[in-house]
Amino acid sequence: MPDYKIIVFLCNWGPHAAFQHLQDQGADIPSEIKMIRIPCSGRITKALLLRSFEMGADGVMLLGCQSGTCRYGSGTRSAHGNTSETCRILDLMGIGADRLQLDNFLPDRPQVLLARLQAFVRQIYEMGHSPILPHASVRGEAPAALTPEAIVAAHDVFACQDCGKCTSACSLALAGKPYSPREIANRIIAGRADDPDVRQAVNACLTCGLCYERCPSAVNFPAFIRSMRAYYHHHRLVEAPTHGGFFQSMMRAMTAENLLPRRWRDLPAEIRTRAGAPVLFFGGCAPYFDIFFNRFLGVQTARILEDSLRLLNFFDVEPAVLENETCCGHDLLWTGDRENFLRLARRNARAFADSGAGELVTACPECYHTLAHDYPENGVPLPLTVTHIHEFLEREIDKGAVGFKPLGATVTFQDACRQSRFDGRSDLPRKLLARMTGTELLEMPESGSGAVCCGNSAWTGCDAYSKSLQVKRITSARQTGSEVILTACPKCQIHLRCAMEDAMRAEDLQLETMDLTSAIARTIYWEGS
């Protein structure tokens, strides 16, 4: 069978010794196998495993030492966890969990290893080629006029008055990082866009929009940063994203036209959906986050989607869902990969049109902003109305006849940047909270359109200052006397819970987190029922 590519990562100790014995004996090792010698199976991260498929692998095998014999102690355990979680994500994406396998060998089992490799190759033959096609170039659709000078002019960065209000408001500067949006702008204007420290600063921006909120000249710094990242991406000068670039690989893989994700198969039985319904629900990437962070944070952001569907059902809406739903592309756009963002956007737009729905509801503020604003602004208009679940709930609850059981806790609220500033709707969650009888909202000093970022955006630029920012935000929330911090974005929940894992300050940072949608689903009822 021609053109199959199978990557085998071999631990340098036991498995490689067995493999080398086969090579020395001239054994019939399948020619499709490309062997990569590694120091330990535990060093192969989820990002590297997924990256292999993004680069065109049809199958990947990770071979480590047997449990209890790993020279690094925890290598076998790490390999098992990384492989297991990546397999679950491959399955959810529609690539196929069986395309990735883990096995363990000692040096004295070369013939068993040979049989295992041959069996794996036969299995990949039976599965066929991976649906993921490697991308030939990152340059494809980047505009020819994408130069720093053109970007500065397009965003009217010359209007900067150098007043410094952006720096005094910047979330990173407030966390102690020597960071100044106006300085970055001035250095790019001065022709130093390609300086490594300028590039790093552009990558570090949280794009939270607080600087734009305070700028007297209305210089849209987040949009400027986004364009600069596209410039760097076009010239292959991309800074390393967080988590080894796992999520960027995942999103690029989702652009494959023949990919068939198995998106909604694990919905609870009581949730009602209906094909061909006039309302379409778009979930986003929360289920992938839950798998990826399972061992570290124990997040359950997919519950936001389930509770959103429950609330739609509560108001007698049985929405359609797309089994082949893919990412909206928010993080690709905000890391400068406009080419693949557009691929996802066009694929999603076709799927939405084929659904026949007239309204799309989403629970994610990033998905909402991307679908409602970024798609049409980038030449991909959608044939339906995009509604955030908060807007839907406010509309339905305002009709009356519903009440709320007490949540049983005092709460504070972490605004999502895309909702509070980008869409100017910090009022929406507060209207809903005001309706929740028995739930007292204790605002943090920085809230609403002035709320500080949760510490990261688009899976890029996370550093010690991001962690400091998260700790500061949790401390501020605890100082309100609240027992629960309500969030409106799955990433806010992930980032805040990440800070709570700090081994040195764990007790000082513990605070229950819950999405507002879940809080409403837990407490709402029909009056008189």
Side-chain angles (χ1 to χ4, degrees):
M1 297 290 286
D3 300 329
Y4 275 79
K5 298 182 181 64
I6 297 174
I7 304 298
V8 177
F9 292 105
L10 278 166
C11 170
N12 190 46
W13 190 52
H16 183 261
F19 191 86
Q20 195 167 39
H21 179 82
L22 293 175
Q23 288 179 314
D24 293 342
Q25 298 300 312
D28 187 22
I29 301 172
S31 59
E32 297 82 357
I33 287 178
K34 310 300 178 188
M35 184 271 286
I36 299 177
R37 186 175 175 179
I38 57 175
C40 175
S41 60
R43 303 290 183 90
I44 302 302
T45 64
K46 287 174 278 191
L48 285 171
L49 292 171
L50 183 59
R51 180 74 172 162
S52 301
F53 290 101
E54 189 198 348
M55 298 298 289
D58 297 299
V60 176
M61 180 172 274
L62 178 59
L63 298 179
C65 299
Q66 289 187 346
S67 181
T69 63
C70 174
R71 288 191 167 189
Y72 296 95
S74 60
T76 307
R77 186 167 64 250
S78 297
H80 178 77
N82 288 336
T83 307
S84 171
E85 289 156 10
T86 307
C87 281
R88 291 173 62 194
I89 289 175
L90 292 176
D91 188 39
L92 197 57
M93 291 176 66
I95 297 173
D98 291 339
R99 292 186 184 275
L100 171 62
Q101 295 187 12
L102 169 70
D103 214 332
N104 308 98
F105 286 91
L106 290 177
D108 59 353
R109 300 176 64 202
Q111 294 306 319
V112 180
L113 171 60
L114 178 62
R116 184 74 178 85
L117 294 174
Q118 292 171 337
F120 183 60
V121 171
R122 287 195 298 272
Q123 184 174 358
I124 295 300
Y125 282 171
E126 292 172 2
M127 296 180 72
H129 283 294
S130 165
I132 307 302
L133 296 177
H135 296 143
S137 169
V138 298
R139 296 171 183 263
E141 302 179 21
L146 194 65
T147 65
E149 294 78 12
I151 293 169
V152 166
H155 294 286
D156 196 19
V157 184
F158 291 116
C160 171
Q161 300 179 36
D162 208 22
C163 67
K165 288 186 177 179
C166 54
T167 305
S168 63
C170 173
S171 294
L172 284 174
L174 292 174
K177 184 167 187 167
Y179 198 85
S180 171
R182 64 170 175 163
E183 182 188 358
I184 297 167
N186 287 336
R187 293 183 70 182
I188 293 173
I189 289 172
R192 301 179 61 182
D194 293 329
D195 287 2
D197 56 340
V198 173
R199 200 165 66 236
Q200 289 172 3
V202 168
N203 186 62
C205 176
L206 301 175
T207 69
C208 69
L210 260 174
C211 52
Y212 181 37
E213 178 79 13
R214 305 292 167 80
C215 178
S217 299
V219 175
N220 191 336
F221 191 72
F224 172 56
I225 287 291
R226 192 175 71 183
S227 295
M228 285 305 303
R229 288 177 178 172
Y231 164 77
Y232 293 135
H233 193 273
H234 181 55
H235 290 84
R236 303 176 189 246
L237 297 171
V238 180
E239 297 291 325
T242 59
H243 304 293
F246 180 91
F247 293 110
Q248 283 81 2
S249 283
M250 187 181 82
M251 292 170 222
R252 285 191 292 268
M254 285 182 179
T255 63
E257 291 291 340
N258 55 347
L259 194 69
L260 297 174
R262 305 170 67 181
R263 186 63 178 75
W264 297 100
R265 61 177 177 162
D266 294 327
L267 277 180
E270 77 273 12
I271 291 177
R272 308 188 309 276
T273 61
R274 180 165 59 88
V279 175
L280 175 67
F281 183 74
F282 185 85
C285 291
Y288 300 100
F289 299 156
D290 284 6
I291 298 172
F292 188 89
F293 294 108
N294 175 56
R295 279 185 296 151
F296 308 102
L297 307 179
V299 295
Q300 294 182 312
T301 54
R303 185 170 292 177
I304 301 169
L305 312 186
E306 293 176 6
D307 287 332
S308 296
L309 290 168
R310 286 191 179 92
L311 285 167
L312 289 169
N313 288 173
F314 177 86
F315 287 107
D316 208 22
V317 174
E318 294 184 1
V321 293
L322 297 176
E323 193 61 35
N324 61 348
E325 180 187 292
T326 63
C327 172
C328 69
H330 172 277
D331 297 340
L332 289 177
L333 180 65
W334 284 91
T335 50
D337 190 353
R338 188 168 180 272
E339 175 192 3
N340 284 305
F341 162 75
L342 287 173
R343 285 178 175 168
L344 274 180
R346 290 167 186 148
R347 176 177 176 164
N348 282 328
R350 287 195 298 272
F352 299 160
D354 292 344
S355 76
E359 182 178 17
L360 180 150
V361 177
T362 181
C364 173
E366 290 186 344
C367 290
Y368 172 78
H369 186 81
T370 303
L371 298 171
H373 301 288
D374 292 332
Y375 275 28
E377 288 174 9
N378 284 276
V380 188
L382 296 182
L384 37 61
T385 302
V386 182
T387 304
H388 191 276
I389 188 73
H390 289 176
E391 185 180 356
F392 169 85
L393 292 172
E394 174 61 22
R395 184 175 72 202
E396 294 300 317
I397 294 170
D398 192 53
K399 295 175 182 174
V402 299
F404 291 89
K405 304 169 191 171
L407 184 62
T410 52
V411 303
T412 191
F413 184 70
Q414 169 65 29
D415 287 274
C417 299
R418 297 301 184 257
Q419 182 180 56
S420 64
R421 280 185 288 276
F422 281 55
D423 292 323
R425 295 311 309 268
S426 58
D427 62 312
L428 264 179
R430 287 170 176 79
K431 283 182 179 179
L432 292 169
L433 280 163
R435 294 181 182 279
M436 294 175 64
T437 311
T439 300
E440 183 182 2
L441 173 64
L442 303 171
E443 293 275 22
M444 289 183 270
E446 294 136 338
S447 60
S449 61
V452 177
C453 177
C454 70
N456 192 248
S457 173
W459 306 116
T460 184
C462 183
D463 59 13
Y465 294 103
S466 292
K467 179 60 68 65
S468 174
L469 187 57
Q470 291 155 4
V471 169
K472 184 176 180 180
R473 199 61 180 155
I474 296 169
T475 302
S476 181
R478 283 170 59 97
Q479 287 174 345
T480 66
S482 299
E483 298 161 294
V484 177
I485 182 167
L486 294 177
T487 58
C489 175
K491 289 178 183 169
C492 288
Q493 193 177 129
I494 290 168
H495 296 144
L496 295 175
R497 288 182 69 96
C498 178
M500 293 178 198
E501 294 293 314
D502 188 310
M504 303 300 290
R505 301 190 58 188
E507 292 185 5
D508 298 334
L509 299 175
Q510 292 308 302
L511 189 62
E512 183 179 352
T513 58
M514 184 188 305
D515 191 87
L516 174 59
T517 306
S518 293
I520 294 173
R522 182 185 293 187
T523 57
I524 198 168
Y525 66 91
W526 285 111
E527 288 184 330
S529 62

